Amino acid sequence: MKRGDAHSEEVTGLLPRLRDPEFARLLICTLPEATPVHEAAELQEDLARAGIKPAGWVVNQSLTPLEVTDPLLVSRRGREAEYLNEITSSHSDVMYLLPWQEGGLN
């Protein structure tokens, strides 16, 4: 059966809760690279159309807060700055930066 724009009762009941910052806080998680940041920005636009405002952004696996000396890592850390600036200037006033960790987050 084709539903068109109809939503299930669960979704209809959930949307007001997700819009309520006293009930839920949504964080957008990304990596400090072009494609992940731009896809996260598109997600934020979709959420805005649904009336949902993220509480902030989380940037995972960043080299920015680390002391790095390897030329490749220094270069990569330098490129991150463009995307971190884009987040704070265009997408969110709140950004949490998580440093790169060997083995990822546990």
Side-chain angles (χ1 to χ4, degrees), residues 22-94:
E22 295 299 316
F23 176 77
R25 288 192 178 92
L26 184 129
L27 295 170
I28 292 182
C29 298
T30 190
L31 296 170
E33 301 169 3
T35 300
V37 167
H38 296 147
E39 288 179 352
E42 290 176 10
L43 170 62
Q44 183 166 281
E45 291 172 10
D46 290 342
L47 292 169
R49 283 191 290 278
I52 300 169
K53 183 177 184 341
W57 284 44
V58 175
V59 180
N60 288 316
Q61 301 295 341
S62 175
L63 293 171
T64 297
L66 302 176
E67 296 279 335
V68 293
T69 56
D70 181 273
L72 179 64
L73 295 178
V74 170
S75 174
R76 180 175 169 164
R77 184 178 64 187
R79 287 192 307 271
E80 286 183 4
E82 175 183 352
Y83 304 108
L84 299 177
N85 290 334
E86 178 181 337
I87 292 167
T88 57
S89 67
S90 300
H91 306 305
S92 182
D93 295 333
V94 178

Side-chain angles (χ1 to χ4, degrees), residues 6-19:
H7 298 289
S8 69
E9 289 180 37
E10 293 85 5
V11 171
T12 303
L14 181 61
L15 281 174
R17 305 287 304 251
L18 291 175
R19 292 179 183 130

